Amino acid sequence: MPESEGRGTLFDKFLNVIETAGNKLPDPAMLFFWLMIIVWVTSAILAQFAFTEIDPRTGEELVVQNQLTGDSLADFLANMIQTFVLFAPLGIVLVAMLGVGVAEHSGWIDAGLKKLLNFTPASFLTPMLIFIAIISHTAADAGYVLVIPLGGVIFYAAGRHPLAGIAAAFAGVSGGFSANFIPSAIDPLLSSITLEAARIVDPAMTINPINNWYFTSASCILIVLVGWYITDKIVEPRLEGIEVDGDEDEMPQMETVTPQESKAFWWGFTAMILGIVGLIIWAWPESSGLRDPDWQNPEVSSLFSPNAALMQAIVPLIFVLLLIPGVVYGYVSGKYDSSKDMINNMTKSMESMGYYIVMAFFCALFIDAFNQSNVGLLIAVKGANFLEALALPGQVTIVGIIFLSAFVNLLVGSASAKWLLIAPIFVPMLMQLGISPDLTQAAYRVGDSVSNIITPLLPYFPLVVVFCQRYVKNTGIGTLISMMIPYSIIFAITWTIFLLVYWWIGIPLSFEAPYVYPAP
């Protein structure tokens, strides 16, 4: 039971109920196992029915695939290893953590944080952390394995509750997923889907690959300010009664940086900068192997194409760019005597990932079963068709898309996969009402972002639980969800209002001039 049970506001009591109920759920690994069983049984029942909904991927009637047939179970067993090994977050997490482990356990990150805290007022740690978390989107999913654990480290080193730091960073990385002033690979990916959907109505339509850039840039300011308030006024006060009972030897201490450590830090920092400069020199030529040779759009650099080697190598680059300063710091500070010390640091970081690997195994199997069965797809398409049938005014439909996207996100994790489901329905429909595809896409991105942080089906959700357990050993799914619900609710309300006001004022979402649509 939470320490604050029975006191506080009505909202506090609601969060306490969520936390208590959530922590009574099975261990996350077993939760994914039982969810997989539920999907299997549900698919066996629904497979007996015919549905008129159209599968947007094939253009044919949607069919639920029974996962309890002999063939399906045989495929499940035959592909189990491949399903686990190819689970995308697994490789990302483990490779990135190898570099993080060297940079952290050698002391380079710790020394850097102490220097950062020396000139950053404690009251500004929260907005700084959320801002860093937001811009980490540029590096694909690296924010999950780099910024979120650093949130706990920064807050603990500053004498604040580490779980509040993890919550703030998680809110920025995942809840503010579509708030960023630096374009990333997701921008052209979503806009390409929007373009195909828009051409159902107007085959001559063109859409800029970063068609929501003005809005996502402005949203960055909104998320930092709102997240700052939620962290300092709602989340952290609720954590006052939760004792930090992790291993103190593994946590950052606020001791003074010695002259030798300071020297080692700057040597490591210089090494990292030289690595970044080398990367820029490598990527700069048009013929660079880091670019996408088939990229044809001059408005976006071929470096930022989803198929560019640079975008696909983000995590290995993070590994290298953290490994280098960690090793340099280790030798200059005297903490490393040989390469064995570096390997020991990598091993230590992997030891803490054992629990995550177990959870990732069951999570991968569940998500695969969910996708193979088409149960989530059926729910998503039915929800979209229901909203379309209501024939609501444009403004209300925009709000409906936000909340539909948020709901579907609880069932289908991939941002592009959800947009592939929703875009062909709503982009053409709202074009007939004079609403631009850019605005429809912006509404989708808001809804997709705000529910990321409250669904255990997010592939990185178990990892965030593991980060929390480093400081509070009995942290469960309920604890994390109860911390993130205020962000999800308040982000959803304020961001929706922000989009509607943005639209009402007439600020452009994209670089193109307003488009005049054909009459319905």
Side-chain angles (χ1 to χ4, degrees):
M1 178 178 291
E3 294 284 343
S4 56
E5 186 79 61
R7 55 185 174 85
T9 65
L10 184 62
F11 188 57
D12 286 328
K13 294 177 179 178
F14 165 72
L15 295 178
N16 289 335
V17 171
I18 294 294
E19 179 178 355
T20 301
N23 285 341
K24 289 182 178 180
L25 291 171
D27 182 271
M30 289 306 300
L31 176 63
F32 286 120
F33 170 77
W34 287 115
L35 286 173
M36 181 183 69
I37 299 299
I38 291 171
V39 168
W40 282 356
V41 174
T42 303
S43 71
I45 296 172
L46 294 180
Q48 309 306 313
F49 300 90
F51 299 96
T52 58
E53 284 75 18
I54 300 299
D55 187 334
R57 302 169 300 184
T58 63
E60 301 175 354
E61 289 187 353
L62 195 155
V63 177
V64 173
Q65 301 294 334
N66 185 352
Q67 298 299 295
L68 287 180
T69 65
D71 289 344
S72 293
L73 291 174
D75 287 341
F76 168 77
L77 292 174
N79 296 317
M80 180 183 290
I81 295 175
Q82 186 178 30
T83 299
F84 174 52
V85 172
L86 296 182
F87 185 52
L90 181 65
I92 291 174
V93 169
L94 296 184
V95 172
M97 287 303 294
L98 286 173
V100 171
V102 173
E104 179 182 2
H105 294 300
S106 70
W108 184 74
I109 289 179
D110 194 22
L113 290 174
K114 290 172 184 175
K115 286 183 170 293
L116 179 67
L117 294 173
N118 284 338
F119 67 84
T120 303
S123 58
F124 284 95
L125 280 181
T126 303
M128 179 197 69
L129 174 61
I130 296 174
F131 178 73
I132 292 172
I134 287 174
I135 64 175
S136 72
H137 302 155
T138 309
D141 292 337
Y144 287 101
V145 294
L146 183 60
V147 179
I148 292 177
L150 284 182
V153 172
I154 290 172
F155 269 50
Y156 185 77
R160 300 177 62 179
H161 203 291
L163 296 195
I166 290 174
F170 190 21
V173 169
S174 197
F177 181 70
S178 286
N180 196 358
F181 65 89
I182 303 176
S184 64
I186 193 66
D187 294 287
L189 179 59
L190 293 181
S191 64
S192 65
I193 298 171
T194 303
L195 177 60
E196 292 303 314
R199 285 179 173 171
I200 295 173
V201 172
D202 181 6
M205 168 65 86
T206 60
I207 291 177
N208 191 287
I210 47 176
N211 61 329
N212 285 156
W213 184 75
Y214 292 161
F215 175 69
T216 57
S217 297
S219 297
C220 181
I221 300 172
L222 173 75
I223 295 301
V224 168
L225 295 177
V226 175
W228 184 5
Y229 173 82
I230 296 170
T231 303
D232 290 0
K233 301 299 182 182
I234 299 177
V235 173
E236 193 163 15
R238 292 194 70 251
L239 295 171
E240 289 178 355
I242 297 181
E243 180 184 359
V244 177
D245 57 1
D247 186 353
E248 292 187 4
D249 294 335
E250 298 294 322
M251 299 183 194
Q253 305 297 323
M254 280 303 292
E255 294 134 356
T256 305
V257 178
T258 67
Q260 184 67 17
E261 289 173 336
S262 181
K263 175 184 175 182
F265 169 78
W266 288 115
W267 273 100
F269 183 76
T270 301
M272 184 178 72
I273 295 299
L274 289 175
I276 293 173
V277 171
L279 179 63
I280 293 172
I281 294 173
W282 182 14
W284 191 266
E286 290 296 329
S287 59
S288 172
L290 293 175
R291 295 177 178 269
D292 180 358
D294 300 321
W295 189 247
Q296 301 295 324
N297 196 316
E299 297 172 323
V300 177
S301 170
S302 57
L303 282 171
F304 300 109
S305 159
N307 295 322
L310 179 66
M311 290 293 99
Q312 296 179 348
I314 287 293
V315 172
L317 287 172
I318 288 174
F319 162 70
V320 173
L321 292 174
L322 286 174
L323 177 70
I324 291 172
V327 171
V328 171
Y329 180 92
Y331 279 110
V332 176
S333 66
K335 292 187 177 180
Y336 281 4
D337 293 322
S338 68
S339 59
K340 183 179 179 181
D341 296 313
M342 178 190 72
I343 299 302
N344 287 339
N345 285 168
M346 288 185 175
T347 303
K348 199 171 186 179
S349 68
M350 287 299 98
E351 288 173 355
S352 65
M353 288 292 100
Y355 182 55
Y356 172 72
I357 292 172
V358 173
M359 285 195 291
F361 173 74
F362 289 102
C363 183
L365 297 181
F366 160 68
I367 291 177
D368 181 68
F370 203 55
N371 291 336
Q372 294 293 333
S373 68
N374 286 335
V375 171
L377 180 63
L378 175 65
I379 297 172
V381 174
K382 278 188 171 292
N385 290 344
F386 173 75
L387 186 57
E388 180 184 18
L390 293 178
L392 299 170
Q395 294 86 343
V396 179
T397 302
I398 287 294
V399 176
I401 290 175
I402 291 173
F403 285 95
L404 173 68
S405 303
F407 173 73
V408 172
N409 193 35
L410 301 177
L411 305 171
V412 182
S414 168
S416 57
K418 289 192 295 292
W419 192 223
L420 280 167
L421 302 177
I422 296 172
I425 298 172
F426 289 109
V427 169
M429 180 181 78
L430 293 180
M431 284 176 68
Q432 299 298 316
L433 299 177
I435 296 175
S436 74
D438 305 315
L439 178 60
T440 307
Q441 179 182 302
Y444 164 74
R445 296 185 73 170
V446 171
D448 175 57
S449 297
V450 298
S451 60
N452 276 336
I453 48 182
I454 59 171
T455 170
L457 304 191
L458 178 75
Y460 292 102
F461 196 92
L463 180 65
V464 182
V465 174
V466 171
F467 290 148
C468 291
Q469 289 174 344
R470 178 183 183 185
Y471 299 96
V472 180
K473 294 179 180 178
N474 66 346
T475 300
I477 288 178
T479 303
L480 183 55
I481 291 180
S482 70
M483 286 196 300
M484 303 316 298
I485 280 179
Y487 294 102
S488 183
I489 294 175
I490 299 175
F491 278 1
I493 294 171
T494 56
W495 213 348
T496 299
I497 295 172
F498 183 68
L499 177 60
L500 294 176
V501 171
Y502 195 100
W503 176 25
W504 178 69
I505 293 175
I507 304 174
L509 289 155
S510 68
F511 295 95
E512 286 94 4
Y515 186 79
V516 178
Y517 301 104

